[in-house]
Amino acid sequence: MRKKYIIVATGLAFIGLATSACSSSSSSSNNSSKTSSSKVNKPKKVVPSDTAKDRTWTYKNKVFDAGIETYKFTKSEIRDSATDGKKILVLYCDVINNSTKEQDPSNVYMVVHAYQKTDTSNVQLATGMAALDDNGNDPLQTYEDNLNNKLLPGKTVKACLAFELKNNNPVTVKFDNSNFDNIGQEVYEVK
């Protein structure tokens, strides 16, 4: 419930940023059933810029450049959900603040959406939370904290996005620009 409030509260700030951009031109083995990764180059040193908000938003080769922030997706996995009997898709990423101001990486949920087909519909997935480990800890806590903390200018953190699955069908993750127009997508297998 806490995440929903954070997302709603920070979403308003993100809409303001998007509008200004437009106007200015240790877990157990049963927690994971499949992991995939792609080779991502080491991040270059970022020089924060006042004009980062003016950059064209793109999605290519698992890199979502949203002007003031860049999300480089490094790995995905299926984990047990905090909801009994459910699974989540976890997308790990490096988040880079390209601007000269602190940013809220969790605003990405405003423009990144996951969809999965059921028997009757293509359903937008809700955000998810991982099941606690044997010690009662959230195995994704550090990544979730990094997504919800204010990211300093020019800095990079490791974070994750999580979506609660409806079934074992593939998940299509769609990336939108500041006008909420789709600019790319990625399909993740669920097995």
Side-chain angles (χ1 to χ4, degrees), residues 24-183:
S24 63
S25 185
S26 117
S27 62
S28 61
S29 62
N30 67 354
N31 279 348
S32 174
S33 60
K34 180 174 179 166
T35 300
S36 67
S37 62
S38 62
K39 187 175 180 177
V40 176
N41 294 333
K42 290 190 177 192
K44 298 175 187 173
K45 183 169 174 70
V46 175
V47 178
S49 170
D50 287 331
T51 61
K53 69 182 185 320
D54 299 328
R55 291 175 21 180
T56 300
W57 291 28
T58 60
Y59 179 77
K60 185 177 181 184
N61 298 325
K62 297 190 185 239
V63 176
F64 179 46
D65 187 336
I68 56 175
E69 293 173 320
T70 300
Y71 297 79
K72 294 183 178 183
F73 291 92
T74 57
K75 180 175 88 167
S76 67
E77 72 178 345
I78 305 301
R79 298 184 72 93
D80 289 334
S81 172
T83 304
D84 285 340
K86 297 280 189 171
K87 299 280 186 184
I88 59 171
L89 169 65
V90 181
L91 304 177
Y92 295 90
C93 59
D94 295 332
V95 183
I96 304 159
N97 181 351
N98 302 313
S99 78
T100 57
K101 297 179 181 170
E102 291 180 0
Q103 297 299 326
D104 183 348
S106 70
N107 287 329
V108 72
Y109 279 116
M110 296 285 295
V111 291
V112 175
H113 308 284
Y115 297 87
Q116 192 175 42
K117 291 182 180 175
T118 65
D119 291 339
T120 60
S121 304
N122 193 14
V123 178
Q124 184 173 342
L125 301 179
T127 58
M129 293 183 64
L132 300 179
D133 65 18
D134 294 337
N135 297 319
N137 298 313
D138 180 347
L140 302 177
Q141 190 66 55
T142 300
Y143 297 102
E144 292 166 348
D145 289 347
N146 286 342
L147 190 69
N148 291 303
N149 292 337
K150 297 287 185 182
L151 182 56
L152 297 176
K155 299 299 181 181
T156 302
V157 293
K158 295 192 177 304
C160 72
L161 283 70
F163 299 97
E164 190 163 276
L165 301 173
K166 297 286 185 186
N167 53 44
N168 288 332
N169 290 334
V171 175
T172 301
V173 179
K174 295 186 177 185
F175 299 85
D176 293 345
N177 64 16
S178 59
N179 292 325
F180 303 103
D181 296 323
N182 183 266
I183 59 171

